[in-house]
Amino acid sequence: MNRVLTSRGILASALLVAGIGVAHAADLNVETLDLSKMSAGWQKPLANKSVAGADLKVAGQTFARGIGTHADSQLAINVFGTATHFSALVGIDDEAEGKGSVVFEIYADGKLKATSGVMHANNKPKRLEADITGAKQIALVAQSNDDGIDYDHADWLEPTLTLNDAAPVKPVAVEAPNLAGVDDEAPLPIFASAKPSAEPQIHGARVVGSTPGRPFLFAVPTTGEGPLKFSAKGLPTGLKIDADTGFITGTLGSAGTYTVALEVRGPRGVARRNLTLIAGAHKLAQTPPLGWNSWNIYYCGVDEDKVRAATDEIVSLGLQKHGFRYVNIDDCWQAPRLADGTIGVNTKFGEMKALGDYIHSKGLLFGIYSSPGPKTCAGYDGSYGHEDQDAKSYASWGVDYLKHDWCSYGGVADGNGPTPMDGLERQKHPYATMRRALDGASRDIVYSLCQYGMGDVWKWGADPDISANLWRTTGDIGPSYASMTNIGFAQSDHALYAGPGHWNDPDMLFLHALKPNEQLTHLTLWSLLAAPLLIGSDLSKATPFTLDALSNDEMIDIDQDPLGHAAERRAQRGSTQVWSRPLWNGTIAVGLFNLGRAKTKVSAKWIELGLRGAQPVRDVWARHDMGRFTDEVALDVPAHGAQYLIIGTPNAADYTAQGR
Ligand code: GAL
């Protein structure tokens, strides 16, 4: 790291050399820090260049020094109390073609110290400075105004930290989750009735699929004071329920649709609910998968202990009782293939079969990751040329879910393989190959495509030769509100392609990177989208707020709705949006979103939602009935937050999928 002495520093040094006791100061050019730790809403921040790689230029003036980034962006710097002052000029780079609007802010230990107000393209660079004496951490934040992040090329020009003489440690850029951003508004009162009722209640999927002849495991998700006793009427031949655990296990004999009447008795009452079992080929994931995945928290640092810990936490934190059931290892578990071509497992993991058995012993399911290419995205061996062998290894370990990530397959498709491919064949070939391999294995394995939405995967992912259960619709989600909202609010167009057994996947949850209101936006939107809810966090560090939000059965019930209609955007006004989806019992789920930076009223208008007359409205997050409304319901929504409603009168008490 360079420390650049400015004239002030030189003067202070000179005075000190001369024996005059003034504290001397040195300045640090902030662009010399490790900018890989800095987040951006588009591309990557660059030192001394605009975010698109041109000279830094604002309102016609060129700057040699600075950082070119893109809203929403944050640079967190641990200054360890060694800095006294921060100063920079800020503005929108001229490359933004006269568009874009950004607010630049400086935070010290989470407190807003200076703001530029809204800067528009062509505005002259503005001086932003702050006294940061004593701060442990500062953050430079560039946020979009309320109009989205398009064209928000944000420049920090000549950014300079003044360090005091005592500075024994150097400031260092760090990855920090969304330190600063919107005003810290109180989250919605989701705790109000968050305590699960002592009476038994059954949650999670109402419809579950399985292939006859293959092992089946479904633990009935149930809350309530124990001891609970489970029973089930109408279970098809080959399946049984354990009265104490509520695990339904066995092997279905023949294809068909079965209605199973579940009953759970406890000291505080009885719960009953129908569970539909659909037995047949390619009938898995009748509702979107719920669970956990290692990538968004551990990346390649995943190991067996962490996976076992996540397994235990899904149980001990009660998430299993609300329906979470997959424990998925992402990339970085592999070792080079053995002499006979069997995929190796690296030393961070022991016996995969033992791990699978452990996960199953808790009533949970086991997921794994590979690539159709020769290498995974992290450079481990992929499945190319070994698909059958790998599918058999997975089945022998007890794997229930495969995420299959395109990664290096482009090289094969472009001609490194036997035949170059183009068009749809290029997209489908690798996934059809693994589909055949999975069909040949002795186990039900949910098939998750990860190819970032290429070739409009939602249009062909459910074709019989692929029969994917879910497909990523986008590139990777990142640890920021900007990334989450850029992905989530762009999902309306392919809603119609999602349905039971085949889901759009806007990528995994990143709750630990978000503020409370932003977490509610994430979960409201993802459950409206009928998206898989795969928690990407270290559950041992999850806050009570996050756990309560994840344990909200009404939110999960919407995600798991058996009709499987994904939500679409019904209205957009300024920085607010309204999305809705129909539910099986004739009601609709509605999300009111505020993407802006200040609290505002958002209105759900009947005319936009296809409703008429007086309708009962229920608040999903607060779990209470709000009464009847006519024509519209308008509610305050916090900055970056969401309100979640169910509107309408249920037309049935229980769901059975007869005739589906
Ligand atoms: C990416 C994928 C991520 C993660 C990663 C592992 O391509 O989108 O979700 O799986 O690879 O290397």
Side-chain angles (χ1 to χ4, degrees):
M1 187 186 313
N2 298 329
R3 272 200 201 176
V4 179
L5 285 176
T6 61
S7 51
R8 185 151 39 125
I10 291 165
L11 175 66
S13 306
L15 290 173
L16 210 72
V17 168
I20 300 167
V22 294
H24 83 191
D27 286 353
L28 171 71
N29 291 352
V30 176
E31 72 276 9
T32 62
L33 296 176
D34 176 5
L35 298 186
S36 71
K37 305 281 193 243
M38 186 175 191
S39 63
W42 180 78
Q43 302 284 41
K44 297 215 179 317
L46 295 175
N48 306 326
K49 293 282 173 206
S50 74
V51 72
D55 286 345
L56 291 164
K57 195 169 175 193
V58 175
Q61 202 183 335
T62 305
F63 294 81
R65 261 193 60 212
I67 301 171
T69 187
H70 194 290
D72 289 343
S73 168
Q74 172 180 289
L75 175 61
I77 308 169
N78 282 349
V79 286
F80 311 105
T82 65
T84 54
H85 192 79
F86 171 84
S87 170
L89 290 163
V90 294
I92 296 188
D93 199 281
D94 287 359
E95 72 190 0
E97 300 171 15
K99 300 178 192 155
S101 52
V102 174
V103 179
F104 294 82
E105 292 165 332
I106 305 168
Y107 288 78
D109 294 334
K111 293 208 172 51
L112 183 63
K113 288 290 189 175
T115 175
S116 66
V118 181
M119 301 277 302
H120 293 282
N122 302 326
N123 286 168
K124 289 224 158 55
K126 200 182 245 181
R127 172 71 57 193
L128 203 58
E129 50 192 333
D131 179 355
I132 52 167
T133 308
K136 302 223 165 10
Q137 189 175 61
I138 65 163
L140 312 187
V141 172
Q143 300 201 77
S144 64
N145 194 20
D146 292 353
D147 55 357
I149 65 164
D150 289 355
Y151 296 98
D152 288 348
H153 294 224
D155 290 346
W156 294 91
L157 305 162
E158 300 172 350
T160 308
L161 270 175
T162 306
L163 308 177
N164 60 38
D165 183 40
V169 266
K170 295 176 180 176
V172 53
V174 289
E175 269 161 25
N178 222 26
L179 270 181
V182 293
D183 295 344
D184 262 326
E185 279 187 53
L188 292 169
I190 70 162
F191 298 108
S193 46
K195 291 278 160 285
S197 136
E199 285 171 36
Q201 286 179 343
I202 302 173
H203 309 291
R206 288 178 156 83
V207 188
V208 178
S210 177
T211 312
R214 293 181 172 186
F216 179 83
L217 169 60
F218 180 75
V220 178
T222 312
T223 51
E225 196 180 298
L228 299 174
K229 285 284 176 196
F230 295 79
S231 63
K233 284 205 186 83
L235 272 179
T237 316
L239 297 188
K240 61 175 177 9
I241 188 163
D242 183 298
D244 296 319
T245 61
F247 297 179
I248 302 176
T249 54
T251 303
L252 274 153
S254 46
T257 299
Y258 306 92
T259 302
V260 179
L262 299 172
E263 190 179 282
V264 187
R265 285 183 178 274
R268 302 300 195 94
V270 184
R272 295 190 182 87
R273 199 204 236 196
N274 285 339
L275 175 70
T276 299
L277 288 180
I278 302 187
H282 298 162
K283 295 294 184 194
L284 304 183
Q286 289 294 314
T287 59
L290 302 175
W292 179 90
N293 174 292
S294 55
W295 185 254
N296 282 352
I297 184 73
Y298 298 127
Y299 303 96
C300 276
V302 65
D303 60 32
E304 177 157 347
D305 287 349
K306 291 178 177 128
V307 176
R308 283 184 182 250
T311 307
D312 294 344
E313 282 148 6
I314 289 171
V315 178
S316 64
L317 296 171
L319 293 167
Q320 180 181 32
K321 296 181 176 169
H322 299 280
F324 290 91
R325 60 192 198 121
Y326 285 93
V327 182
N328 294 354
I329 308 174
D330 208 276
D331 207 349
C332 307
W333 58 268
Q334 311 87 332
R337 290 183 183 277
L338 314 181
D340 68 354
T342 307
I343 185 69
V345 176
N346 63 42
T347 52
K348 294 185 298 166
F349 290 84
E351 284 283 319
M352 282 300 201
K353 162 114 178 40
L355 179 56
D357 288 348
Y358 182 72
I359 292 170
H360 295 149
S361 75
K362 309 278 178 183
L364 300 173
L365 300 172
F366 179 25
I368 211 153
Y369 166 101
S370 187
S371 168
K375 294 285 174 202
T376 68
C377 292
Y380 291 85
D381 279 6
S383 295
Y384 180 64
H386 294 272
E387 292 83 358
D388 289 330
Q389 220 171 3
D390 283 1
K392 292 207 167 64
S393 294
Y394 304 154
S396 74
W397 300 340
V399 164
D400 306 292
Y401 183 115
L402 171 66
K403 172 174 170 182
H404 211 205
D405 191 353
W406 176 272
C407 302
S408 61
Y409 195 82
V412 177
D414 290 344
N416 299 341
T419 39
M421 298 165 223
D422 54 19
L424 200 52
E425 168 65 5
R426 175 189 168 90
Q427 302 298 338
K428 288 181 87 172
H429 187 84
Y431 291 106
T433 307
M434 187 48 110
R435 162 47 68 202
R436 285 193 298 275
L438 293 177
D439 285 348
S442 54
R443 223 184 141 75
D444 272 346
I445 298 181
V446 165
Y447 194 27
S448 157
L449 270 48
C450 176
Q451 44 83 287
Y452 338 116
M454 291 187 299
D456 290 354
V457 61
W458 44 90
K459 294 185 178 155
W460 50 264
D463 287 358
D465 54 337
I466 311 291
S467 291
N469 299 114
L470 58 156
W471 45 75
R472 276 270 296 276
T473 55
T474 73
D476 288 16
I477 193 170
S480 70
Y481 173 78
S483 172
M484 182 271 290
T485 50
N486 283 339
I487 288 176
F489 288 106
Q491 300 297 311
S492 196
D493 289 348
H494 32 266
L496 291 174
Y497 296 96
H502 50 91
W503 307 102
N504 290 319
D505 173 7
D507 209 356
M508 301 168 293
L509 300 175
F510 236 129
L511 294 168
H512 60 274
L514 303 177
K515 295 190 165 198
N517 284 316
E518 298 172 340
Q519 295 183 27
L520 296 190
T521 293
H522 199 3
L523 288 171
T524 303
L525 187 53
W526 260 237
S527 59
L528 277 167
L529 292 171
L533 302 179
L534 295 174
I535 305 162
S537 304
D538 175 352
L539 289 169
S540 71
K541 299 201 178 122
T543 63
F545 180 90
T546 301
L547 290 172
D548 275 348
L550 281 168
S551 306
N552 183 304
D553 296 307
E554 299 181 27
M555 177 276 291
I556 292 174
D557 222 27
I558 297 168
D559 181 73
Q560 297 288 295
D561 187 82
L563 288 189
H565 280 287
E568 291 174 70
R569 182 174 20 244
R570 309 293 172 191
Q572 181 162 15
R573 283 177 272 278
S575 57
T576 72
Q577 300 197 19
V578 179
W579 290 58
S580 78
R581 67 179 283 190
L583 304 175
W584 69 272
N585 61 6
T587 62
I588 61 171
V590 181
L592 308 181
F593 298 99
N594 175 8
L595 286 79
R597 294 162 40 77
K599 180 162 75 185
T600 191
K601 270 220 162 30
V602 186
S603 178
K605 295 181 192 294
W606 277 204
I607 195 151
E608 290 161 351
L609 298 169
L611 298 169
R612 302 175 72 168
Q615 298 285 349
V617 176
R618 181 161 173 87
D619 182 331
V620 168
W621 287 121
R623 298 174 235 210
H624 80 97
D625 293 326
M626 302 175 71
R628 293 176 89 79
F629 290 75
T630 307
D631 295 337
E632 68 173 333
V633 51
L635 298 174
D636 278 338
V637 184
H640 286 192
Q643 292 271 12
Y644 207 178
L645 307 174
I646 291 178
I647 308 181
T649 308
N651 59 19
D654 208 347
Y655 179 81
T656 51
Q658 300 302 352
R660 175 139 135 194

